[in-house]
Amino acid sequence: MEKFIIEGPTRLCGEVTVSGAKNAAVAIIPATILAQGKCVIENIPNISDITVLFKILRAMGATVRVLNRSTVEVDTTYIGEPVVPYELARYMRASYYMLGTLLTRCNRASVSMPGGCNFGVRPIDQHMKGFEALGAHVSIDSGMINAQADMLLGAHIYFDVVSVGATINVMLAAVKAKGITILENCAKEPHIVDLANFLNSMGADVRGAGTDVIKIHGVDILHGTTYSIIPDQIEAGTYMVAAAATGGDVLVKNVIPKHLESIIEKLEKAGAVITEYDDAVRVARDGELSKVNLKTMPHPGFPTDMQPQMTALLSMASGTSIVTEGVWDNRFRYVDELRRMGALIQVDGKVAVVEGVPQLTGAPVRAVDLRAGAAVLIAAMAAKGTTEIEDIEHIERGYEDIADKLTVLGANVKKMIVPEKPLQAAL
Ligand code: EPZ
């Protein structure tokens, strides 16, 4: 088992470069299955979720050639059985995008129920609704999601819930369906637009991504392509919050400022001074942190994937902040870990009342999920004393080289390998 050991407080100063967007990459890499020919994908983040996807592609017969640290060539000329077993699918949520791609390519697919962060119930009813509207028969049996269609036919689909995953999965199933597909009440996140741009670079006809309505004209062939993934909005936001939380001054490079508007607005309200450039933002804070109320919403609202990080910052702000989780049922599990560091946070369902304290103190904590891990990491760098973070594999699922990037910014973060302690020895 590995853990991070952090000595604080430190002010983060310097420059950090954002990697490719995890939530775009985990959709685009499965989408290479739709190509007749090779795809070269650039700006891929070097994180474990991506490694798992390469394992899944190779297990199905595809060739994945690493050209350099952030570029691969995927050749899916040969795809065997359209099955993604539990032992591979359970490590991440996005394995379920294989359903949409394999249904399009093979007219059938079997994918294990996905894993991923635990925020309470994570249903897939909207994915199934979309597949069935396109003419597929979908069933869940012994933990496997099975989909089969003699032919996929364009349909008019209204999503009951704004869902990133369902919007992506049904797009993947519709790009070669016969006729026109209209998707309404779609998610509008940057990674939806990135996937649509990737599909169109392969010869698809997808219009309206980034708005509520996406119109797809099914095509017969999708060819290979070369495509570069957009920068990660949430990784960028995480470093921005870390700079503000530690009273630092950081230039966050390789960003699309338009994707960061809601994050910039809340950080400025909290007391950060932000300067925007074409492909970078500078975040500095030397005054007091101020309380801020926020509610997470689908894009362009404040991203739910930035909620834990922002709550960590607000736990050190003067005054009381109200943080409302508007997307997930239970995304405050990490608050217990912040409380161990002295945070004063009361949670009632989807609302957290954060009473700021002048200084957090180091403590042994856990990364309960990916963004929760980022939150405790931010708190640890601002806190006084030593913090040990266990279960850091959750953090490394979504943040490329995070310990190195933070060290370059002046953080005192060490990774330590800890032998597994048998429970009886600890009792
Ligand atoms: C994606 O998850 C992201 N993961 C999540 O980021 C992110 O929190 C979420 O979108 C919201 O932005 C990836 O992209 C891999 P949803 P996803 O379907 O697609 C309900 C991270 O930190 N819903 O948009 O699983 C659902 O319960 C991760 O990078 C249904 O009711 O999220 C939730 O309340 C964590 N039925 C809401 O919609 C469905 O069929 C949004 O979920 C699907 C979803």
Side-chain angles (χ1 to χ4, degrees):
M1 181 181 75
E2 293 179 322
K3 59 167 104 173
F4 284 146
I5 316 285
I6 300 105
E7 293 300 333
T10 45
R11 294 179 63 248
L12 298 184
C13 294
E15 297 186 357
V16 64
T17 299
V18 173
S19 304
K22 167 180 87 81
N23 292 347
V26 297
I28 287 169
I29 289 166
T32 58
I33 288 175
L34 302 174
Q36 286 192 349
K38 296 176 182 175
C39 292
V40 174
I41 314 292
E42 299 166 345
N43 203 31
I44 295 178
N46 201 348
I47 54 179
S48 56
D49 269 12
I50 300 304
T51 311
V52 169
L53 280 177
F54 291 154
K55 272 191 191 148
I56 292 173
L57 284 177
R58 287 180 173 126
M60 276 196 282
T63 307
V64 179
R65 204 153 65 87
V66 177
L67 304 184
N68 63 48
R69 197 166 194 290
S70 60
T71 307
V72 295
E73 177 194 76
V74 183
D75 182 349
T76 58
T77 305
Y78 304 101
I79 290 287
E81 267 304 282
V83 178
V84 180
Y86 174 70
E87 58 269 16
L88 284 174
R90 69 195 180 107
Y91 289 107
M92 58 179 298
R93 182 147 188 87
S95 44
Y96 62 15
Y97 292 147
M98 290 294 176
L99 280 168
T101 53
L102 291 170
L103 191 53
T104 292
R105 167 134 180 181
C106 312
N107 282 350
R108 63 190 176 90
S110 283
V111 177
S112 166
M113 289 293 280
C117 301
N118 174 8
F119 311 133
V121 178
R122 293 187 78 173
I124 59 165
D125 57 301
Q126 299 300 304
H127 301 239
M128 296 171 73
K129 171 180 179 176
F131 293 150
E132 286 165 349
L134 293 168
H137 173 73
V138 187
S139 63
I140 296 178
D141 180 30
S142 317
M144 294 296 284
I145 310 162
N146 306 300
Q148 185 276 328
D150 297 334
M151 180 185 286
L152 291 169
L153 295 172
H156 193 147
I157 300 160
Y158 184 89
F159 290 116
D160 305 320
V161 178
V162 175
S163 160
V164 167
T167 302
I168 287 174
N169 231 343
V170 179
M171 277 169 72
L172 294 168
V175 278
K176 293 180 75 176
K178 295 274 173 281
I180 304 266
T181 295
I182 308 275
L183 305 180
E184 293 209 55
N185 199 25
C186 296
K188 299 180 272 194
E189 274 67 8
H191 27 292
I192 306 276
V193 179
D194 210 26
L195 173 67
N197 291 338
F198 172 70
L199 293 170
N200 288 337
S201 78
M202 294 161 79
D205 183 350
V206 180
R207 301 160 198 237
T211 73
D212 300 297
V213 181
I214 295 176
K215 184 174 181 180
I216 301 170
H217 195 144
V219 297
D220 294 330
I221 302 254
L222 292 175
H223 52 71
T225 184
T226 295
Y227 192 80
S228 183
I229 289 173
I230 55 169
D232 194 311
Q233 165 202 37
I234 304 302
E235 184 192 13
T238 300
Y239 285 104
M240 292 166 69
V241 169
T246 59
D249 185 345
V250 176
L251 182 67
V252 182
K253 303 190 323 186
N254 187 34
V255 303
I256 299 173
K258 175 108 185 85
H259 293 168
L260 305 172
E261 286 174 347
S262 62
I263 300 166
I264 289 169
E265 193 252 346
K266 293 300 179 186
L267 282 176
E268 286 179 334
K269 275 209 176 119
V273 175
I274 295 178
T275 313
E276 287 182 42
Y277 302 94
D278 288 347
D279 61 354
V281 287
R282 181 175 174 185
V283 181
R285 195 267 300 179
D286 58 10
E288 201 178 49
L289 280 173
S290 309
K291 70 178 178 69
V292 169
N293 296 334
L294 69 89
K295 177 174 183 179
T296 69
M297 296 295 284
H299 191 77
F302 188 86
T304 175
D305 295 344
M306 286 298 304
Q307 180 257 90
Q309 302 91 311
M310 203 61 194
T311 301
L313 177 144
L314 295 173
S315 68
M316 297 173 279
S318 64
T320 299
S321 304
I322 309 291
V323 177
T324 306
E325 174 52 51
V327 174
W328 296 105
D329 292 337
N330 176 18
R331 194 170 194 168
F332 287 113
R333 290 191 313 133
Y334 65 91
V335 165
D336 286 339
E337 307 304 310
L338 292 181
R339 286 191 184 116
R340 295 167 61 82
M341 301 176 73
L344 297 177
I345 305 174
Q346 293 305 320
V347 174
D348 179 5
K350 293 188 167 190
V351 179
V353 178
V354 186
E355 187 186 337
V357 297
Q359 175 83 61
L360 294 177
T361 51
V365 294
R366 288 182 52 233
V368 294
D369 63 54
L370 167 56
R371 307 304 174 183
V376 292
L377 196 40
I378 289 168
M381 291 185 291
K384 185 172 171 43
T386 305
T387 299
E388 295 193 3
I389 303 178
E390 291 194 352
D391 302 331
I392 61 170
E393 67 280 1
H394 290 299
I395 304 174
E396 298 186 319
R397 271 189 53 212
Y399 289 97
E400 180 181 283
D401 302 336
I402 189 164
D404 295 341
K405 289 188 179 184
L406 290 172
T407 302
V408 168
L409 292 174
N412 185 337
V413 183
K414 301 272 183 300
K415 189 194 282 193
M416 214 174 115
I417 296 176
V418 182
E420 296 282 342
K421 248 193 334 253
L423 185 58
Q424 58 277 13
L427 293 179

